[in-house]
């Protein structure tokens, strides 16, 4: 659903995905994403999905985060925002959407339309010849 592009550290250039929320980042093994970057607390931040309002970042315990060079303990996230926690820099992105395969449904709809047209053609022919 969302992606983090890692901008600094050993993993710079890689992507991390978050599909379930709240999504927690920190050093602890209880976190969804564990990082050993310097300056990151055991339980540092949490990303939440707030219904129709979008995504928000919340600092946990004594954690502090920076969104687009503005220190925050909580704040709204927008596509492309840069998040800094300790020495770790991330860019927040909405993930690519994946459409469902609907080929068989489309085939059924077209078959139904063809059946209606054939039925109407038969009915018009039958009425004109009666």
């Amino acid at each position: 659903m969302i992606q983090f592009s890692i901008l600094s550290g050993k993993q710079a250039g890689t992507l991390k995905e978050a599909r379930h929320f709240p999504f927690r980042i920190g050093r602890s093994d209880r976190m969804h994403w564990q990082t050993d970057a310097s300056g990151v607390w055991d339980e540092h931040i949490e990303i939440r999905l707030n219904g129709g309002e979008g995504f928000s970042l919340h600092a946990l315990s004594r954690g502090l985060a920076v969104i687009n060079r503005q220190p925050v303990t909580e704040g709204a996230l927008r596509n492309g925002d840069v998040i800094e926690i300790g020495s770790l820099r991330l860019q927040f992105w909405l993930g690519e959407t994946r459409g469902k395969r609907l080929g068989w449904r489309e085939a059924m709809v077209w078959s139904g339309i063809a059946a209606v047209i054939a039925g109407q053609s038969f009915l018009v022919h039958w009425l004109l010849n009666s």
Side-chain angles (χ1 to χ4, degrees):
M1 182 173 270
I2 63 172
Q3 296 176 345
F4 296 101
S5 177
I6 303 171
L7 304 175
S8 67
K10 298 178 229 176
Q11 297 180 339
T14 60
L15 293 175
K16 292 279 188 180
E17 287 189 349
R19 296 184 182 274
H20 305 286
F21 300 95
F23 185 79
R24 302 175 120 205
I25 302 172
R27 288 181 176 265
S28 170
D29 59 356
R30 294 186 311 260
M31 300 291 102
H32 298 106
W33 178 10
Q34 299 168 357
T35 180
D36 61 354
S38 63
V40 176
W41 294 91
D42 286 344
E43 297 179 356
H44 204 108
I45 63 170
E46 180 176 82
I47 307 297
R48 297 179 188 163
L49 176 58
N50 301 321
E53 296 176 24
F55 294 95
S56 62
L57 177 144
H58 298 269
L60 301 173
S61 62
R62 297 180 295 175
L64 179 66
V66 176
I67 300 175
N68 298 327
R69 299 187 179 178
Q70 299 294 319
V72 296
T73 54
E74 59 182 62
L77 290 172
R78 293 183 310 269
N79 202 31
D81 281 350
V82 175
I83 302 167
E84 297 176 51
I85 55 172
S87 65
L88 183 63
R89 291 185 68 226
L90 317 165
Q91 192 160 24
F92 173 84
W93 293 104
L94 297 177
E96 293 182 22
T97 57
R98 296 182 184 135
K100 294 181 180 178
R101 295 184 182 189
L102 302 175
W104 68 275
R105 290 182 185 169
E106 186 176 349
M108 295 299 289
V109 168
W110 283 111
S111 298
I113 290 171
V116 167
I117 290 171
Q120 288 179 342
S121 296
F122 173 76
L123 184 59
V124 167
H125 179 70
W126 181 72
L127 289 172
L128 289 177
N129 291 328
S130 299

